[in-house]
Amino acid sequence: RASERMTCTPPAVQHVGRLPTSSSAAAAVVLFVAALLLLLLGECVDVAASSTRGVSAGDDECFIVKQGEQFGTPQTFEFRTTDTIRTVVRLSSNASSYMINNTVDAARCMTSWNKLWGASRCGPLNSHQQDSDRFVWRRYQRCVPYQGDIISEVCHSDQIEIAAYAYDNGTAPIQRDGILLKQFTTTLTVEQDYILALQYYIDHTVYSIFTNDSDLLETLNITHRRCDNYGQGYMNGLYFGGVCLAPLPIEACYYDLTRNRSSSSSSSSSLSSSTLLSSSSLLSSSSSSSFSSPTLSPTTGGDRVPSTAPPSSSFSLTHILLI
């Protein structure tokens, strides 16, 4: 990971003599230069928002589940108000090496899916245990085979398994394994950045995993009941389990591409509307982001919902730590 944010510097302007004396010609030159600069600025905004190359450690939001606990801290809340959400995520090395073998629930604990990131759907106050989509992870199962309640550790790997994990109309993922719980064939490497994306539609959600360079690795679809307010919900974040407590501290760091791209796009739109209304047709062909999700036709233990609705102004942080 680079230590500084990627920046784009417009090419140096060289002196080429006097501008044409005609006012119309001069206006055309000014408009062309302004359009060119706006294009350059627009490209910089998209790249900065769509890739984590150049995002410094200070730009990440990191959450940790302490040893002997399940909830990640700090705990935060944010509504989801867009149809597509995207984040960069990086899990610490303990996510691929934790071991639980001193309990009668050892096998259940080691096969259980831990919650990573996602959001509820069908309304901002609709429980995530009613309708939601999340990415979940667990240790690479080939390294921890079990027989009955006995777990063996036969290898060490820096890989973790990841799955799509959804509640649908109150039905839990484990009740419909293979339909509401689908494992990716892709595995993730700890201490490495990936881009996760969720695209919400009226009757399904598309889960996508990208490399840090925005190359698509894999997508999965989860079918949902139809709801008109599918584009609204609240965020879900880091949680270990829920069957057993974390045997080691586990950290996940996020960089919210949805929020940061929205802020950048807002600034870019303001510049465009105030300076070059007449050049909108020229700029429209270059307005798409370099990180653009393709248009394609996620244990219940410990789950809980907030007892009261959060204040509407609580939008500053991303990952609500509800299970």
Side-chain angles (χ1 to χ4, degrees), residues 28-312:
V29 171
V30 171
L31 181 61
F32 173 79
V33 173
L36 180 60
L37 289 175
L38 185 58
L39 279 170
L40 291 171
L41 288 172
E43 290 177 0
C44 294
V45 166
D46 284 342
V47 170
S50 304
S51 171
T52 55
R53 288 177 297 175
V55 174
S56 68
D59 293 318
D60 293 342
E61 290 181 276
C62 294
F63 300 81
I64 187 167
V65 176
K66 298 178 182 179
Q67 183 175 352
E69 298 184 5
Q70 290 182 300
F71 286 94
T73 57
Q75 295 187 32
T76 62
F77 191 97
E78 185 182 5
F79 285 116
R80 175 179 69 85
T81 57
T82 61
D83 296 349
T84 299
I85 55 175
R86 298 169 292 187
T87 191
V88 179
V89 66
R90 181 181 68 257
L91 276 162
S92 65
S93 59
N94 282 350
S96 67
S97 62
Y98 67 89
M99 185 68 183
I100 302 172
N101 57 6
N102 58 349
T103 172
V104 293
D105 287 328
R108 188 179 171 205
C109 293
M110 292 301 293
T111 58
S112 177
W113 292 97
N114 309 297
K115 286 70 178 180
L116 182 57
W117 176 81
S120 65
R121 54 180 286 134
C122 299
L125 299 182
N126 187 38
S127 168
H128 65 284
Q129 287 183 286
Q130 187 71 17
D131 299 279
S132 61
D133 294 279
R134 285 178 286 181
F135 287 89
V136 293
W137 104 95
R138 66 184 179 186
R139 187 172 171 181
Y140 193 55
Q141 294 294 287
R142 291 183 183 179
C143 287
V144 285
Y146 65 92
Q147 185 173 6
D149 292 328
I150 306 301
I151 293 284
S152 301
E153 187 173 37
V154 299
C155 64
H156 295 277
S157 173
D158 61 358
Q159 300 297 296
I160 56 174
E161 297 179 354
I162 191 163
Y165 183 96
Y167 278 88
D168 183 58
N169 202 23
T171 301
I174 59 173
Q175 293 177 280
R176 301 189 69 190
D177 195 354
I179 298 175
L180 296 179
L181 175 57
K182 297 182 180 181
Q183 185 172 342
F184 287 90
T185 58
T186 300
T187 58
L188 305 187
T189 304
V190 295
E191 301 293 354
Q192 183 169 314
D193 291 350
Y194 294 90
I195 297 171
L196 305 181
L198 289 170
Q199 294 171 280
Y200 292 84
Y201 297 90
I202 192 169
D203 60 355
H204 70 285
T205 300
V206 178
Y207 294 67
S208 301
I209 304 175
F210 298 80
T211 67
N212 190 35
D213 295 317
S214 301
D215 296 323
L216 178 64
L217 294 173
E218 189 175 354
T219 63
L220 288 175
N221 285 13
I222 297 285
T223 300
H224 280 280
R225 70 181 178 98
R226 295 175 67 88
C227 62
D228 292 334
N229 50 354
Y230 62 90
Q232 299 177 350
Y234 57 82
M235 300 302 299
N236 297 122
L238 183 64
Y239 180 85
F240 188 88
V243 178
C244 293
L245 305 177
L248 297 170
I250 295 176
E251 183 181 62
C253 294
Y254 306 83
Y255 181 77
D256 186 348
L257 294 173
T258 307
R259 186 175 67 224
N260 287 285
R261 172 165 168 72
S262 176
S263 300
S264 298
S265 297
S266 174
S267 300
S268 179
S269 297
S270 175
L271 174 63
S272 175
S273 62
S274 62
T275 60
L276 283 174
L277 291 175
S278 62
S279 63
S280 59
S281 60
L282 173 64
L283 300 177
S284 61
S285 62
S286 64
S287 62
S288 62
S289 168
S290 60
F291 173 68
S292 178
S293 300
T295 302
L296 302 170
S297 10
T299 65
T300 60
D303 280 15
R304 71 189 189 195
V305 295
S307 56
T308 58
S312 59

